[in-house]
Amino acid sequence: MSLAKRIIPCLDVDNGRVVKGVQFVDIRDAGDPVEIARRYDQEGADEITFLDITATHHNRDTIVHVVEEVASEVFIPLTVGGGIRTLEDIRTMLNAGADKVGINSAAVFNPEFVKQAADKFGSQCIVVAIDAKKVSQPGEENRWEIFTHGGRKPTGINAVEWAIKMKDFGAGEILLTSMDRDGTKSGFDLALTRAISEAVSIPVIASGGVGNLDHLADGIIEGKADAVLAASIFHFAEYTIEQAKLHMQSRGIEVRL
Amino acid sequence: MSTVAVIDYGMGNLHSIAKALQHADTSVNVQISADAHVIQAADRVVFPGVGAMRDCMQALQALKLVDVIKNVAQDKPFLGICLGMQALLTDSEENGGIACLNLFPGHVRHFAEPLFDELDHSLKVPHMGWNRVRQKPHPLWQDIAQDSRFYFVHSYYAIPDSEQDSIASSAYPQPFTCALAKNNVFAVQFHPEKSQTVGLQLLQNFLRWDGAA
């Protein structure tokens, strides 16, 4: 076997700037997205994900321009998420140079949209983003629920069942974020990651909570994720992508160097 | 100015491949087209594609591109990518069985499940990400290190009848053919346009290739 586990830096883009908040508040400015994407590509990022965090409120032109600019000089897979609600949104992003789109709330409000999108553009470009929070009490069997609106709104949907449904509807990949961990630097929710990864036959990207390089390796080894996504540890130059890969390799994980 | 036609039959996003070709050689004239005249007049032809084989073959038939492709594949440097490689075999088991272009005798099969890796984790389908490519000698591998990693995303893979037609292999976890070559035709399962420096090198090699093996 020689398929490498992937490291995917995520750029949360707000009005053309990369930002990172702790559990979606307390936003810190981290720089120019095109410049940062270029640096990650040179450091060996396996893919890059852009999350348009203002997309639900403002028009999309800013992120489209960012993707266009990055796609003309960075030749690795690019994913764009945030506010993808119509087939036209997907077409716009693919035409700008994205290879995949992340669908989040729109899938919850209208699961058929995932089916239509996969039929139209192919499963390979449809990433369903799942924001999950633990709802079981200590001592109970683990249970996670889907939340929308940046983790504020519960939906009553069981996260594991939802992931299976999204796979059946044509998702090519799952981007799984633990809303309990996002921005906390305390590591992925490994039980959640493992539960979803074992439940679906498509690749799972673990997200939410990375604070050090062991967390990345844990996501692969214990969480059984196929890829790991992190934002702030790379933006603020705490670690380079290359350091992260060398560390993962030292723990027995196959990476692209 | 040398021209390269990227065949546009509605299967997937051609901007990536056009941008990568342009980046690999700024002097080349890249034309995205479904027009038989444009494709036949080009110096080189790229046949990309993502999605399902049934839609692919239906689109080629609707646009009357089947004979155009067979024709240009006779003598022009020709590069098939992903679904554009699979479509060159005799048939695919996708969508209940679809007859393809038969430029390379052989079949396209789904990855058997379940698959397991060395950590005993189940392997996911699609096979998605960066995998090693073991080359056999060919001019298009020039300046690309043996076992370099390229970016893949696919659930089906080619099994050519003739081992001679296989010009590279990868493993998931069993070895499978990930590139085909015969005369002026070269085809790859991975995405050179998304495979960073090694991918751009392959595209540059293609744009300089005269079609001789």
Side-chain angles (χ1 to χ4, degrees), chain B residues 4 9 48 55 60 81 114 120 140 147 194:
Chain B
V4 57
Y9 57 108
D55 300 340
L60 293 179
I81 299 174
D120 209 30
L140 288 204
D147 295 328
K194 288 286 133 189

Side-chain angles (χ1 to χ4, degrees), chain A residues 46 241-242 245-246 249 255-257, chain B residues 149:
Chain A
D46 295 310
I241 307 274
E242 193 184 12
K245 286 190 165 182
L246 288 169
Q249 189 181 49
V255 292
R256 177 180 72 110
L257 286 168
Chain B
R149 289 184 188 275

Side-chain angles (χ1 to χ4, degrees), chain A:
Chain A
M1 237 302 287
S2 50
L3 181 68
K5 300 297 181 189
R6 292 169 279 153
I7 294 191
I8 307 175
C10 178
L11 284 63
D12 292 352
V13 181
D14 181 17
N15 281 324
R17 297 291 288 176
V18 177
V19 296
K20 185 62 195 172
V22 177
Q23 283 164 322
F24 281 60
V25 291
D26 185 23
I27 305 246
R28 279 208 280 169
D29 186 283
D32 172 50
V34 178
E35 218 169 90
I36 293 174
R38 202 181 289 140
R39 169 159 60 87
Y40 289 159
D41 174 50
Q42 283 159 4
E43 288 177 4
D46 295 310
E47 302 186 17
I48 294 175
T49 290
F50 297 96
L51 187 60
D52 187 7
I53 64 171
T54 44
T56 39
H57 313 297
H58 299 280
N59 69 44
R60 323 295 315 271
D61 293 357
T62 316
I63 192 78
V64 170
H65 291 313
V66 166
V67 173
E68 275 174 350
E69 207 171 327
V70 172
S72 61
E73 52 179 310
V74 169
F75 296 97
I76 58 174
L78 305 175
T79 303
V80 183
I84 302 287
R85 268 183 255 104
T86 64
L87 295 176
E88 197 46 43
D89 290 338
I90 299 175
R91 189 188 308 282
T92 301
M93 290 310 171
L94 296 180
N95 285 347
D99 300 287
K100 314 182 200 181
V101 292
I103 302 175
N104 194 336
S105 316
V108 178
F109 300 136
N110 176 20
E112 289 292 322
F113 175 52
V114 172
K115 231 182 223 176
Q116 291 162 4
D119 269 355
K120 180 98 190 152
F121 302 103
S123 290
Q124 83 292 331
C125 71
I126 305 301
V127 182
V128 170
I130 297 179
D131 291 345
K133 241 183 203 179
K134 195 169 184 175
V135 291
S136 50
Q137 299 302 313
E140 287 180 356
E141 195 185 333
N142 277 332
R143 203 166 66 81
W144 299 270
E145 207 175 281
I146 304 297
F147 278 67
T148 59
H149 298 81
R152 292 189 303 275
K153 222 171 170 183
T155 63
I157 302 168
N158 178 296
V160 175
E161 288 167 14
W162 179 246
I164 294 168
K165 181 171 175 177
M166 289 296 95
K167 184 258 167 193
D168 291 342
F169 275 34
E173 201 173 20
I174 301 281
L175 167 57
L176 175 66
T177 303
S178 160
M179 302 309 291
D180 300 307
R181 299 301 180 91
D182 198 45
T184 64
K185 294 188 168 278
S186 58
F188 297 120
D189 182 337
L190 296 172
L192 167 67
T193 307
R194 187 170 184 137
I196 302 273
S197 189
E198 287 181 339
V200 296
S201 55
I202 54 177
V204 172
I205 306 165
S207 157
V210 174
N212 63 48
L213 301 183
D214 272 319
H215 291 154
L216 295 173
D218 293 342
I220 302 285
I221 294 169
E222 289 174 48
K224 297 196 170 185
D226 302 280
V228 285
L229 180 139
S232 52
I233 64 161
F234 299 127
H235 300 336
F236 298 110
E238 288 166 53
Y239 305 100
T240 65
I241 307 274
E242 193 184 12
Q243 282 173 322
K245 286 190 165 182
L246 288 169
H247 185 78
M248 284 167 69
Q249 189 181 49
S250 77
R251 289 195 51 190
I253 298 168
E254 185 147 354
V255 292
R256 177 180 72 110
L257 286 168

